[in-house]
Amino acid sequence: MTVEQAREDRLEDQEPWRDKRRYLWPLGTVMPALPIAAYGLVHLTGLSLFWWLGPIILFVVLPAMDLLIGRTNDNPPDSERARLEADKYYRWITYLFLPVQYVSLVFSCWVWATQDLGVVSNIGLALTMGVVSGIAINTAHELGHKREENERWLSKIALATSAYGHFYVEHNRGHHVRVATPEDPASSRLGESFWLSFLPRSVWGSLTSSWELEKKRFARHQKSHWTWRNDILIAWAMTVVLFGALVAVFGWAVLPWLVVQAVVGFSLLEVVNYLEHYGLKRGKRDDGRYERVDPRHSWNADHTVSNLLLYQLQRHSDHHANPVRRYQTLRHFDESPQLPSGYGTMIVVAVIPPLWRAIMDPKVIAHYDGDLTQANVLPRKRARYGVSEAV
């Protein structure tokens, strides 16, 4: 925050502060209804293209809206945080996501089981439902950080459709501890390709890390981790029961599409992980431990529309510095490195490695004023970036 912003905050403290986006936040609950909207548009227009509504919204409409409407970098004053976080209106917006998400999943299964769409349209619907499951992981992310037990359970329920329930353990107790370090599987490295390096490393690394974290948790109490109190086993059981129930009701024909939408969902999470910390690294203190996480260690994007739809996930620096802070109170910091566009655009850029490197490598270099010994560089690419192997 600048000195001018701090002065404005003090002035705002003297007057009632209003959230200008208060009645726009429910737009986030529109996203889980995409499969139902796709069905309606197909039957209204006769165009099967709309089965692909999820990718169209995420990768075409959302980037265009971000470009047209631009950024919002205003911050709620700290004096308003307690009031905003106590306002249950904001919580119910996240809660409402889940029933719409599950209605869409059941509806999609009904379509796969009863409608003769053809392979291309079935794939389009699976991708649209996959977008919903991917955004549901973001909703789970918002809920899973909170201290309230009911919100933690809702987080696990939201993760069941993507079969990625171990995220609940790894993100909170692994990623937030090791973020922006070479030890974190979900922090991408300068020069690292999404497809060939980061995706398999993060998927496998997050899975194994979460399992080790649960083993250690039970070992501290001298108990076996093979118990139904194991958060990972609970999460996996939720997915098995959910998919099993859907297969029992709609038949085996829906299972391949359930798998496709789950893979799309967790892949969207991983590409977002890839762009959130690319090349950024926390320095080490004199005692050899990493410095505290601060706004310099996450890439931010203040684009208004995508932040409304993603519960301000793009204000990632404040989230990592203050994990329990609710989405409506997350702040912009001038010292945070900024992405050139919102997540919808940057996801497309990230899956095209040459384009990603052309855009983001210069930004990492500029962030560190050319001193890449401070960056998190892929070990086998250190020579290319002029970094000594000893670093």
Side-chain angles (χ1 to χ4, degrees):
M1 287 182 288
T2 64
V3 174
E4 183 63 26
Q5 287 173 319
R7 185 181 299 113
E8 289 174 0
D9 280 356
R10 288 196 296 271
L11 290 173
E12 288 172 341
D13 288 345
Q14 300 170 14
E15 302 175 1
W17 184 85
R18 294 182 180 181
D19 180 3
K20 297 175 183 177
R21 290 172 288 174
R22 179 179 177 85
Y23 298 108
L24 295 176
W25 292 114
L27 288 173
T29 61
V30 172
M31 298 300 283
L34 287 176
I36 300 170
Y39 179 88
L41 287 169
V42 168
H43 284 78
L44 182 65
T45 66
L47 297 175
S48 59
L49 172 68
F50 284 111
W51 289 119
W52 296 73
L53 185 62
I56 291 170
I57 293 292
L58 186 60
F59 302 128
V60 179
V61 176
L62 187 55
M65 294 295 288
D66 276 339
L67 180 64
L68 289 172
I69 296 178
R71 306 170 187 252
T72 301
N73 60 6
D74 60 321
N75 295 325
D78 284 340
S79 60
E80 294 291 325
R81 179 183 174 184
R83 180 182 66 82
L84 284 170
E85 297 204 343
D87 189 339
K88 292 187 178 180
Y89 167 81
Y90 294 98
R91 301 188 192 190
W92 279 103
I93 290 171
T94 56
Y95 299 168
L96 184 59
F97 187 101
L98 274 73
V100 182
Q101 169 195 356
Y102 271 76
V103 167
S104 285
L105 183 65
V106 172
F107 180 81
S108 296
C109 286
W110 173 78
V111 173
W112 287 318
T114 65
Q115 310 292 302
D116 186 16
L117 301 186
V119 174
V120 173
S121 293
N122 276 328
I123 292 173
L125 178 57
L127 294 182
T128 294
M129 188 61 222
V131 168
V132 173
S133 289
I135 298 175
I137 299 178
N138 178 51
T139 305
H141 168 264
E142 171 66 23
L143 295 167
H145 275 291
K146 304 307 176 279
R147 298 187 177 96
E148 289 78 359
E149 189 66 21
N150 70 308
E151 293 188 285
R152 290 174 177 265
W153 273 104
L154 289 174
S155 175
K156 296 173 187 176
I157 292 170
L159 290 166
T161 64
S162 60
Y164 225 56
H166 61 279
F167 171 83
Y168 174 83
V169 173
E170 169 58 21
H171 181 82
N172 294 326
R173 288 155 45 199
H175 175 62
H176 268 261
V177 173
R178 299 181 297 236
V179 65
T181 72
E183 289 78 27
D184 180 32
S187 293
S188 58
R189 302 160 180 176
L190 180 64
E192 186 170 29
S193 165
F194 172 73
W195 295 108
L196 299 179
S197 180
F198 178 79
L199 182 60
R201 181 172 70 83
S202 186
V203 170
W204 180 248
S206 297
L207 178 61
T208 56
S209 173
S210 64
W211 189 251
E212 287 301 314
L213 287 168
E214 278 296 86
K215 284 178 65 176
K216 290 178 182 177
R217 180 167 75 95
F218 285 96
R220 286 195 294 269
H221 300 284
Q222 298 182 332
K223 294 182 179 180
S224 170
H225 58 283
W226 290 102
T227 169
W228 287 112
R229 293 184 177 180
N230 182 317
D231 284 329
I232 297 175
L233 293 179
I234 291 172
W236 289 346
M238 285 181 171
T239 297
V240 170
V241 170
L242 173 63
F243 285 16
L246 292 170
V247 168
V249 172
F250 296 106
W252 287 101
V254 304
L255 184 58
W257 303 116
L258 287 172
V259 172
V260 170
Q261 67 84 31
V263 171
V264 172
F266 73 68
S267 296
L268 283 175
L269 162 72
E270 294 298 356
V271 73
V272 168
N273 279 337
Y274 178 77
L275 59 89
E276 284 176 336
H277 305 283
Y278 179 72
L280 303 179
K281 187 172 74 172
R282 287 149 59 195
K284 285 191 174 181
R285 305 182 313 202
D286 292 340
D287 62 3
R289 301 181 68 181
Y290 286 104
E291 64 184 337
R292 181 183 176 86
V293 180
D294 69 32
R296 298 169 299 152
H297 300 131
S298 303
W299 291 97
N300 273 22
D302 280 317
H303 295 78
T304 304
V305 177
S306 48
N307 267 322
L308 282 169
L309 298 180
L310 298 175
Y311 305 121
Q312 297 215 108
L313 176 67
Q314 298 175 148
R315 289 192 167 183
H316 211 59
S317 295
D318 198 15
H319 165 70
H320 268 282
N322 303 280
V324 298
R325 185 182 279 266
R326 292 184 179 272
Y327 70 92
Q328 65 269 28
T329 65
L330 291 174
R331 298 160 296 177
H332 161 87
F333 292 96
D334 287 343
E335 60 266 40
S336 300
Q338 299 294 316
L339 292 171
S341 189
Y343 280 11
T345 304
M346 297 312 296
I347 288 171
V348 176
V349 174
V351 299
I352 307 173
L355 180 60
W356 173 264
R357 289 194 297 270
I359 292 173
M360 291 303 298
D361 282 15
K363 287 188 170 293
V364 177
I365 294 169
H367 180 64
Y368 289 111
D369 295 324
D371 182 8
L372 292 183
T373 61
Q374 300 180 57
N376 185 8
V377 183
L378 188 67
R380 66 175 181 270
K381 297 288 184 68
R382 284 174 178 163
R384 174 185 292 183
Y385 290 101
V387 178
S388 168
E389 290 295 324
V391 174

